[in-house]
Amino acid sequence: MEKKFKPNIVGFLCNWCSYAGADLAGSSKTQVDPSLSVIRVMCSSRVNSNLILSSLLWGADGVLVAGCHPGDCHYEQGNYYARRRFALLKKITKILNLEPDRIQLSWISASEGKRYAEIVNQFARDITKKGPNPLTRNSQT
Amino acid sequence: MNKNIGVYVCECGPNIPERIDVDKVVQEMSSMDEVKTVKKFNLMCSNDGKKFLKEEIEKQKLSHVVVAACSPKDHEKTFMSVCQESGLNPYLFQLVNIREQCAWMIPDKEEATSKAVKYIRAGIHRVLYHNPLKKKEIEINTDVLVIGGGLSGIEAALSLAGPKRKVHIIEKTDSLGGMAADLSQVLPHQGSKMDLIKKKVEQLESSEFVNINTFSQVKEVRGFLGNFEAVINTHSGNGGVEEKEIKIGAVIVATGFNLFDLKKNPIYGYGEADNVLNATEFEDMINSEKILLKSGKKPKSVALVHCAGRKEQGYCSKVCCLYNLKFAHYLRDHHPDIEVKELVIDWCLPHKQDQSYFEEAKDKGVDFIRMDELLKTKSTGDQIQIEFKTNDKSHSVSVDMAVVAPAMVPSEDTTKLADILNIPLDKSGFFKELHEMLDPVSTPMEGIYLTGCALGPKNIHESLTQSHATSGKIFSTLVPGRKIEPEVKVSEIKEDLCTGCQTCLSVCFYGAITTDSFKGVSVVNEAICRGCGNCVGSCPSGAIRSKHFTYPQLYQEVLDALR
Amino acid sequence: MAKAVKIKKKTEEGLHDFLKSLLDKEIIKGVFILKKMDKTGAVSYSLITDPEEFKKAVPLYPYMPVNAGKALANFTLLGKAEQPIAAILRPCEIRAFVELVKRTQGDFENFLIISLTCGGVLTLKTISEPDQDKLISQYWESVKKAEVFEHTREACQFCEHFLPLNADITVAAVGKKDLDEECLLFLNTPKGEKFAQEASGSSVSEEIETEKVQQLKKKREELKEKYVQQTETGETGMKSLVNVFAPCLGCHGCSHVCPICYCTLCEFDSKTLQYNADGLSSDLKRKGGLKVPSGNLLFHLGRMTHMAVSCISCGMCSDVCPVNIPVATVFSKAGKSLQKVFDYFPGKDAEEPVPGGTYKEEEFAEIGEQ
Amino acid sequence: MNSKYKPNIIAFLCNWCSYTGADLAGTARMKIPSSIKTIRVMCSGRIDALFVLKAFLKGADGVMMMGCHPGDCHYQKGNYNTRRRYVLLDNLFKTLGLEKKRIGLWWVSASEANRYAKVTNEYTEEIKKLGPNPTSEEIFL
Amino acid sequence: MSHQKKEETIIPEKGTVLSAEKGTKRVILDILKKALAENLFDAVLIPAQVPETEAYSWILLQDESLFEWADPLPPVMTVQGGRALSSFSKNGELEQNIAALLRPCEIRAAIELFKLKQVNLKNITLISLDCPGAMPLSNYMSDPQKTKKDFQHILEKWENSESLRPVCQVCQHFSFIDGTAADLHIGLLGDKNKNITLIPSSPKGKKLLDQLEFGTKDSVEKWKTEKQQLANEKIKRIDAFNREWKKKINQANGFFNEFNPCINCHNCMNVCPMCYCQQCYFDSQAINFKPEAYMQKAEQKGALRFPLNTMLFHIGRMSHMVLSCVSCGACEDACPVSIPVSQLFSMVSDQTQKEFKYTPGMNREDALPLQDFTEQEFCEVEVPDECHEKAPEEAK
Amino acid sequence: MEQQNVLVIGAGVAGMEASLILAEAGLNVHLVEKESLIGGQTIKFEEVYPNMECATCMIAPQQQDVLQNDRINVSLLSKVQSVEGSAGNFKVQVKKKARYVSLINCIGCGACYEPCPVSLGNAFEERMSQKKAIAVACPGALPNAPAIDPEACLRLNGKKKDCSACQEACGFDAIDFSQKDETVELNVGAIIVATGFDQFDVSTLPQYGYGKHPNVYTAMEFERLYAQNGPTEGELTLRQDKPIKSVGIIHCVGRKQEGYCSGVCCMYSMKFAYFIKDKVPDADIHEFHTDLCIPGKSHQKFYNELKDKGVHFCRFEDIKVSGQNGNLQVRSTNSDGKEKSTDTDMVILSPALTPPPDAEILAKSLGIPQDSTGFFSTQNQKLNPIDSEKEGIYVIGCAEGPKDISESVSQAEAAAGRVLSFLQ
């Protein structure tokens, strides 16, 4: 029953830039890899380690956090905090023995529909290449 | 409470069925617990669709509604208001985006269908965790406090004061008028005198809706839009300080600017060489109509030196070029015997009529000299020698008198006031606007506005425009008789769980979180919170909840994403 | 005499096979059971759904990493299990689960509860012992003989309720000499009987409470007396209590692992009982010295008022204590006394109300009237 | 024991019966020992076991719980629960070898000013005999 | 936007050297006794042995008779001192002047907690001392006498010993390194056990020495040299230590294997000074789900471990407090199943703190890493890497 | 004022801001826009200086608010024909062109573009890409619905009267050929003019080589070239395709001719340098400027930063662009008369901002004068910067003169303030 591996990717998108960018990708009929499931949050700063770590431990093959470009945050500074928290998390996930690029932070603006598609497709390709998150089958998580 | 969820799949004409097997979606969803009904509809956002949804909610006695259609950016509000009309709390509704995020993105029908199922299922699970949120209304005070009695402050006060809105204006000096009152002419190319300011001051003083406090400063401001309280200290004549508290709905900061201290850099020769004046001193000379050297003689030549302090401060003050031109015009018009040399780095004349003003000066015989960098100003006996560099070569001119145009710098109380008002400063030390482009007079603290040179160097017409802009903002947010409705999806702190570590406080840009020092817990001011959730992300103990984006709600989405 | 099934296999194997066939045939969707973890010797509870994973299951392993009653409650806190699940629990774990179900912290539905006549569990510390296997075979030898094994928990050593209540199926272990030859499953309920049809054994009629079992019960009762004596509580009142709990770090591990302590935020962790500057000042003035963090005894006594009446004496609390305080023994002592007063046996019946949540008008009439 | 010793007694009174009774005692100018410090609660059922324990461990020489007589509870049955709670505490004190006299439960109705005076005086005397609560000096609690 | 008043840190050159003939501990206690007698403090926070038992606990000591039980350097760390300090000082300014005698890691925890508003340092004088490390709590609890003897031996020799807790063996901050935030440091090194050196490290500390009429006239060079020697040894050890742990963790399932025996008692969190939350997020109801969700996971994985979310707890806790971890080892001491929690956390925190250029508890003024940011940092975490320097924009 | 209605002409960033504030204050706003979409020029920009923020992210929420606000009545494809009356009571005739697409039915799915047989240059994209006769200006345009260009549409221009390709493709019955141009009369109390700007026509100055050399771009062309939602989706693909090694950006194009400094070109020219450095880090970028006009507290920092990045700044007195085979040469003369020649692959011209071509007509219908530059004049340049010569009519944003977004927004808010203050 060797089925082609299709990853499960969780994408946290900020409402103002990245979600709008994703919408633009849709309304421009850009093809985007379906393995990413979008979860809308108001600001990338809402996404903290609790959300990302639990996604990973519960078997997400990849987690994408996308927010406004630095300086563009609808709430002025949220994405800077998001970035710091993310930098910390990158360190932490290392000890889970996961490839550090299973989690990704990207800046996607509302006009960057194409970029959204590129980032998601590339990320999905990367994750597919990496194969399933070993934790998906880890009974301890 | 019984959970009766209604799930409606919008076909969006051919858009969704083209790529998604809607019937399959409907079938999958109907097997879910707590889903009372699943139906598809051709176009939910049409009037028929809205009517249909309304009937369904009423007929089926739905407790929650999930609509799978387009992006929330398009029709979230539409369906929320349908819910509202049907007597269902609009926050017990979830819009699932299967058009942009599935149908239009995924060419493979099977994949798109299963993705849509995933999303809708997540939506159903999520909506079960929704709470009925209620809009709140807060009574407001429409009065306004204007800090600073300069031109900007006066204009704002005049524009705002009226029978339904009182304006308190406070000025730290003895009289209103500010910097502009000392100017010889404000309108260089039209040459009219500046008694207009006087008129405006008189108008203010005679208004029954304006309360003028001179010799006064703010000591404390607390509260939020529509409900501020300010403590004002007024220095009475005998050295005592009188304290009073006023209630206002908005604050306008119009504290103006200071001039760069030319003594900070010896290259300007100010304070060392006689007959090196700064712009204000020269204005005084014009006002007294006597252009004389220290010796009492009339100068034969005057140099107007631009851009003093620009390099030190790191910005162009915008107005200096024009007022130097004004000086040049004045000298040529009234003292044609004085030779005028103007030492310019870059002309900054960004107004449709300023260039012609420059051309006119040129025609009047002003000697414009381009310099790349000023090197030195020194006194050589009777004369002042100014050395500068152009095209990598050194040059110098000698004149009898030099007028140096200093940069505009933040006024001295800026930092203190920023602390009192809890608003940020920018890197140049001026107040920082909420958004440099789109919100140039607001601050992160809703209800506190900025105008004029408190924000950075500005010319008079810009300052006036901004004063009107602040009044526009206040007119539209603080309408007499109306209440304000703060954002509903705000953060909320569970007191029991809060440890009082104030992490949330330090990450909140809007100052919406304060500490209850007695209880040792953080408190969200819902009137200020914008609902970004940064505090939630920062709280280690999960004591903060961002309404409508709670952990359980997001976790439901995560779980279904991983199915 | 009770209905039973006899399988001609080593007890643990027989049980293993029985459960595996249930799982293979999808009669049950999962088995809640102890499982050896890969590589490391650690054992933990798992909900197994994949028959492959089931190979690593060790249903009767004498180790209790967590009171399974608490784990099951965690699983069913927000609703009942949708599909049938078999759960292998020790008698005290079932009692814990019952107590939690009473407090609506869990749901019994759809569980097939399998238990055993319990010889106790080894202490948590033994898991890191190098000669663990030897210890375990020694353990089983003593179980066969219905003896008290010295490396089991203190609470197990004096546990007289080692015959399960509320189990659908009971595995005979204590005092069963032929543990290694045959597997005897008592079928206590119609549900147990129904599921046991899948077991490849012969129906028999056997006695659960054998002579050996009764002997062990008596032995354990005696031991209880002994251990309670040893804790010294009650001899010199407050002073001895203080001394018993003196090493306490305030880690509250005992409450965290206690199946009866189900609160998400313990009152003793909350702000209610924290010192403020004023209180500190007056206490310090009065006593001339103050232990900090304070409230140590208040925590233990308070916790006792909250749960001692429902204490099922599983011994998790003692085992988890980093400073070897015999928490379980003290609590068992208090619990036993309280349970007698209220005529309450914790974990007997999920329908029976908790003593704190009910009353009889006629009881304790003399109180308050003096 | 020093005859001048004045114990510290905390009394939790239910609002409807005992507190009214205590008030009545006051109006009637009855002599109530000054050692009694009353704390009003709406129902004796609100008297948490922790209130009693905390008062005791903080060094109260005696803790009194007072409520309406059985059957008279303003909230129908609160005092039955109180009684059970008292039994629990009493038993705990006994089992652990603590001085069980330091806590007590009395029913005092709104009209029983006399009873209130009586029980408070009696209890104070009893506590006086018992002496100060050793807990109040104990550092290592 | 309140601005914390800066307290300057003096780089100490001079201090007081006192003879320790009577025994190091006695001398320290005598100093404190003197300070109490002269009303320089109202009370001293110090470890003490509970009479009639072998247990140690923290006491706020006011009555002189209690000095009999006090022990400035007990063989074990029971409750982490930072936590003890927090327990009574977090709810407002104290009325008493209190001196707290803490190990360096406890001082650092106290400073971190101070930043998190869990300790109010207003009327507290922090006194630290050179720390030889502590013995594992479980060893002490099973054989107090032997452990005490071993510890005494270590204290005399100041040599590394395998019997110390592993994190203590590689502790870099066992002493006053470069401006710890205590007010006064007591150097036990320097003529080991013959003398003790009092080094003032804040104006408060200096004033205290003056008030005690010790002054600051003696050179502290000797202490400095010895301390440096010991530090160098430790630094060598820590590299090997980190390497070894990295290797272990980098094996397949390394992290999970280590935490496998976890029984979810949360002792590690409850004794951790930096886990200051009332209720741990991982105990909260936020991560409770319906049985179906768990079943779904179990089916996905083949088996699902109970108690649920044990690993999430550990990794999540790590993400919450690793930047503030002072490697005090309390967690490991409290673990009933001997998981090397502290060693793991210490390894991770060592690296993470370097990344954030932050050493917890060194300085009262440093902003906590997650309450702060700069615009130009960590650009490398964005993908695709778009690290263009932004136009200068105002931070706060 | 009797009328609580306000007319706002132009739905650019200034017009939208003014409308939103007035609507929030409780007034009814008629927002008249000549294009088929709102947002004005700002939405063409990928990023705006000085903080390099994404313009779409910045503006989109505002556009949404305008479209969803009950108090704002947006008329697209509309122009003001005539104005009568005085402050407090203006009667305005607005001519509204037919869109031929029902905004109520259309959901913006875009099914209609494909079958349309007509292609033409997209003016929104500076004709750098093609669009169909029925199309939206760019992806993400708001309102998200196409319009039919009646001159291009075969059915409407009579070339093929039975063409109904789009109508057949539409699943929502949104295409309505029966729509007619109409004129509506509005009663308003005040008028806010926010008609924006146009760009100086660089083809009138041959020395810049625009039109002759394909790789000479105007600023607006470059904005679209760079935009993610533009014709090349943000790729810097030149008209005459070649790798970009060197770029010349020429300031002050048309300044002399128009007689004023536009005040924004220096900054946006530097923004271009920033863009190019971002995409092609090795590229040599030359900024040819006369006077650098970078007022404002954060602008100079932007300049300093670029200089640090190695962008060359060169002051010129005279300049000329020539070229051969796609290689461009910029010859500049400095104030000393020294000549310098620079080889580039691409030249971007930063033209002056000018009044839109129909300003004159509008000025006449409104009865307010234009000044010598062609922008609307205001009462008093310094003390009443937004009040036109006629009471009740306010001029804001670039309709009043060249300015940046920040100033335009300030003026918009100020105009709202004036109207509301007047009402008080």
Side-chain angles (χ1 to χ4, degrees), chain C residues 238 283 286-287, chain D residues 5-10 51-63 102 127 131-138 141:
Chain C
M238 182 54 78
D283 275 17
R286 190 173 71 235
K287 298 185 179 181
Chain D
Y5 161 63
K6 224 175 72 188
N8 240 331
I9 297 173
I10 309 281
F51 288 180
V52 180
L53 272 181
K54 179 138 192 183
F56 171 70
L57 289 175
K58 278 274 169 183
D61 298 316
V63 186
R102 300 242 177 239
I127 293 295
N133 182 358
T135 315
S136 70
E137 300 287 316
E138 181 57 60
L141 280 178

Side-chain angles (χ1 to χ4, degrees), chain A residues 6 8-10 12-13 15-16 19-20 22-43 45-48 50-51 54-55 58-61 74-78 81 85 116, chain B residues 15 19 71-73 76 97 99-101 104-107 111 115 118-119 126 432 434-435 489 506-510 530-540 546 549-551 554-555 557-563:
Chain A
K6 273 193 197 145
N8 257 328
I9 301 174
V10 180
F12 294 100
L13 309 188
N15 180 56
W16 304 98
Y19 195 85
D23 269 355
L24 183 62
S27 48
S28 322
K29 314 278 165 80
T30 319
Q31 187 175 338
V32 179
D33 197 294
S35 41
L36 181 124
S37 298
V38 171
I39 296 175
R40 186 167 67 116
V41 290
M42 291 311 276
C43 177
S45 65
R46 168 72 180 86
V47 187
N48 60 355
N50 294 346
L51 285 168
S54 25
S55 305
W58 296 342
D61 299 310
H74 187 81
Y75 305 103
E76 307 300 329
Q77 307 178 334
Y81 286 107
R85 288 176 200 148
Y116 171 78
Chain B
N15 278 298
R19 294 277 184 75
S71 169
K73 306 245 159 188
E76 192 172 46
N97 184 353
R99 192 179 71 180
E100 276 86 347
Q101 300 290 338
W104 284 353
M105 246 179 209
I106 307 164
E111 263 181 346
K115 186 81 181 285
K118 221 174 180 181
Y119 274 143
R126 189 191 204 277
K432 186 179 187 321
L434 182 58
H435 192 286
K489 295 179 272 184
S506 56
V507 302
C508 181
F509 181 73
Y510 303 101
R530 312 265 174 111
C532 65
N534 197 350
C535 50
V536 188
S538 77
C539 179
S546 49
F549 286 90
T550 63
Y551 276 113
L554 294 181
Y555 279 146
E557 294 197 54
V558 173
L559 281 183
D560 278 300
L562 299 178
R563 248 173 129 101

Side-chain angles (χ1 to χ4, degrees), chain A residues 49-50 53-54 57-58 69-71 77 80-81 83-92 95-97 104-107 115 119 135-141, chain E residues 249-251 253 255-256 260 281-282 289 297 300-301 303-305 309 311-312 315 318-320 348 352 355-356 369 372-375 377-378 382-383 386 395:
Chain A
S49 58
N50 294 346
L53 282 173
S54 25
L57 291 180
W58 296 342
H69 287 268
Q77 307 178 334
Y80 291 120
Y81 286 107
R83 185 170 64 186
R84 236 181 196 230
R85 288 176 200 148
F86 199 83
L88 171 65
L89 202 65
K90 275 247 172 189
K91 278 269 160 203
I92 302 284
I95 77 156
L96 289 179
N97 262 330
Q104 178 171 317
L105 175 70
S106 293
W107 306 135
R115 184 174 145 88
I119 286 177
L135 302 181
T136 315
R137 289 289 297 170
N138 188 324
S139 66
Q140 296 176 44
T141 54
Chain E
I249 289 300
N250 283 342
Q251 290 164 1
N253 278 335
F255 176 80
F256 299 100
N260 235 333
Y281 173 82
F282 303 100
F289 300 108
K297 270 205 265 179
Q300 204 172 47
K301 294 168 188 292
L304 181 64
R305 186 189 199 275
N309 294 321
M311 299 301 155
L312 178 66
I315 190 89
M318 194 179 270
S319 78
H320 281 179
V348 180
T352 319
E355 184 98 341
F356 280 78
D372 200 20
F373 66 85
T374 64
E375 281 152 29
E377 65 185 4
F378 295 123
E382 303 148 28
V383 178
E386 282 211 335

Side-chain angles (χ1 to χ4, degrees), chain F residues 65-318:
Chain F
D65 285 352
V66 166
L67 292 173
Q68 285 168 0
N69 197 314
D70 293 338
R71 289 214 176 83
I72 302 177
N73 173 21
V74 184
S75 307
L76 296 165
L77 293 165
S78 303
K79 279 185 180 177
V80 169
Q81 294 284 86
S82 70
V83 177
E84 281 166 24
S86 59
N89 201 0
F90 290 109
K91 276 199 172 48
V92 185
Q93 305 280 339
V94 174
K95 186 172 178 197
K96 195 172 173 186
K97 280 202 230 155
R99 189 184 189 106
Y100 304 106
V101 174
S102 155
L103 282 180
I104 296 162
N105 287 2
C106 176
I107 59 136
C109 65
C112 49
Y113 315 156
E114 195 77 2
C116 175
V118 189
S119 280
L120 68 157
N122 186 352
F124 186 88
E125 306 287 16
E126 303 294 316
R127 298 183 204 286
M128 291 191 292
S129 70
Q130 297 286 302
K131 65 162 190 173
K132 293 299 179 67
I134 178 165
V136 290
C138 72
L142 288 170
N144 182 20
I148 296 179
D149 181 345
E151 279 156 35
C153 173
L154 297 179
R155 179 172 174 143
L156 291 168
N157 65 15
K159 286 191 183 143
K160 190 179 169 207
K161 286 199 170 141
D162 58 345
C163 178
S164 57
C166 52
Q167 215 166 18
E168 281 158 23
C170 180
F172 303 95
D173 205 14
I175 316 271
D176 181 3
F177 286 110
S178 69
Q179 279 187 10
K180 293 270 178 322
D181 293 0
E182 52 183 355
T183 307
V184 264
E185 190 179 287
L186 305 172
N187 282 324
V188 294
I191 299 173
I192 294 175
V193 182
T195 46
F197 65 91
D198 206 343
Q199 282 198 66
F200 176 79
D201 183 2
V202 293
S203 59
T204 57
L205 299 176
Q207 67 265 38
Y208 293 111
Y210 181 77
K212 187 171 164 203
H213 307 296
N215 288 350
V216 177
Y217 285 79
T218 65
M220 202 52 99
E221 284 173 349
F222 184 76
E223 291 278 7
R224 292 314 295 160
L225 189 67
Y226 187 79
Q228 294 276 338
N229 58 359
T232 61
E233 293 184 316
E235 292 301 322
L236 288 184
T237 320
L238 297 183
R239 280 195 273 246
Q240 192 169 4
D241 197 14
K242 63 185 295 200
I244 297 177
K245 288 192 194 113
S246 170
V247 182
I249 303 172
I250 303 176
H251 297 215
C252 290
V253 177
R255 174 171 176 177
K256 214 180 257 167
Q257 288 71 18
E258 295 291 333
Y260 53 83
C261 159
S262 298
V264 292
C265 335
C266 286
M267 277 308 283
Y268 76 65
S269 300
M270 290 199 283
K271 174 178 83 174
F272 294 164
Y274 185 94
F275 281 159
I276 300 167
K277 267 280 169 217
D278 191 28
K279 279 262 159 93
V280 197
D282 302 335
D284 262 338
I285 302 169
H286 306 267
E287 294 267 356
F288 297 99
H289 60 93
T290 61
D291 282 305
L292 269 182
C293 174
I294 44 175
K297 52 185 180 175
S298 49
H299 297 185
Q300 176 139 352
K301 295 189 179 80
F302 191 67
Y303 162 75
N304 292 342
E305 202 187 320
L306 279 179
K307 241 172 126 176
D308 292 344
K309 279 189 175 173
V311 174
H312 310 287
F313 285 84
C314 171
R315 178 174 276 144
F316 72 88
E317 290 283 313
D318 198 22

Side-chain angles (χ1 to χ4, degrees), chain B residues 216-434:
Chain B
S216 301
Q217 270 167 307
V218 246
K219 189 185 162 207
E220 203 184 329
V221 174
R222 26 170 211 266
F224 51 91
L225 174 72
N227 288 285
F228 284 106
E229 283 166 17
V231 181
I232 312 288
N233 276 354
T234 303
H235 294 262
S236 54
N238 52 18
V241 177
E242 197 188 313
E243 196 169 292
K244 71 171 171 183
E245 197 172 304
I246 54 169
K247 287 192 159 62
I248 60 257
V251 179
I252 295 176
V253 181
T255 46
F257 65 97
N258 265 14
L259 286 177
F260 176 76
D261 180 5
L262 293 173
K263 285 182 186 153
K264 275 189 185 165
N265 195 338
I267 62 165
Y268 306 115
Y270 183 76
E272 281 170 30
D274 284 346
N275 299 325
V276 175
L277 309 178
N278 71 18
T280 342
E281 288 161 354
F282 194 66
E283 289 274 4
D284 290 345
M285 278 195 180
I286 298 177
N287 279 339
S288 63
E289 296 185 353
K290 277 180 194 140
I291 309 295
L292 295 175
L293 295 170
K294 270 265 161 70
S295 57
K297 278 190 226 156
K298 200 170 181 186
K300 290 204 186 79
S301 57
V302 173
L304 302 171
V305 184
H306 286 226
C307 291
R310 173 170 178 177
K311 209 169 168 192
E312 292 86 334
Q313 293 295 116
Y315 51 82
C316 157
S317 298
K318 195 176 197 175
V319 296
C320 336
C321 284
L322 204 61
Y323 73 68
N324 271 314
L325 273 181
K326 178 179 81 175
F327 295 160
H329 273 277
Y330 170 82
L331 287 170
R332 294 312 294 160
D333 291 348
H334 298 275
H335 305 278
D337 50 335
I338 300 179
E339 195 186 336
V340 181
K341 291 179 197 293
E342 210 164 334
L343 293 165
V344 192
I345 294 180
D346 274 305
W347 280 109
C348 178
L349 301 165
H351 192 264
K352 55 182 178 178
Q353 307 222 312
D354 294 350
Q355 175 117 4
S356 51
Y357 194 53
F358 160 71
E359 307 282 353
E360 284 162 26
K362 214 169 168 182
D363 294 344
K364 285 180 185 169
V366 179
D367 184 10
F368 292 116
I369 301 167
R370 167 90 67 189
M371 62 172 179
D372 287 347
E373 198 186 339
L374 181 69
L375 297 175
K376 210 177 205 175
T377 309
K378 63 179 180 195
S379 154
T380 54
D382 296 345
Q383 289 223 301
I384 295 161
Q385 192 185 349
I386 304 169
E387 287 173 26
F388 58 93
K389 206 164 81 180
T390 305
N391 290 337
D392 292 327
K393 275 178 268 174
S394 286
H395 302 270
S396 76
V397 294
S398 287
V399 287
D400 291 340
M401 179 190 269
V403 179
V404 184
M408 293 164 95
V409 298
S411 70
E412 65 271 11
D413 296 340
T414 307
T415 317
K416 204 175 118 201
L417 194 58
D419 237 18
I420 292 173
L421 296 173
N422 200 13
I423 55 175
L425 298 178
D426 63 18
K427 284 191 178 135
S428 308
F430 292 101
F431 288 105
K432 186 179 187 321
E433 55 283 79
L434 182 58

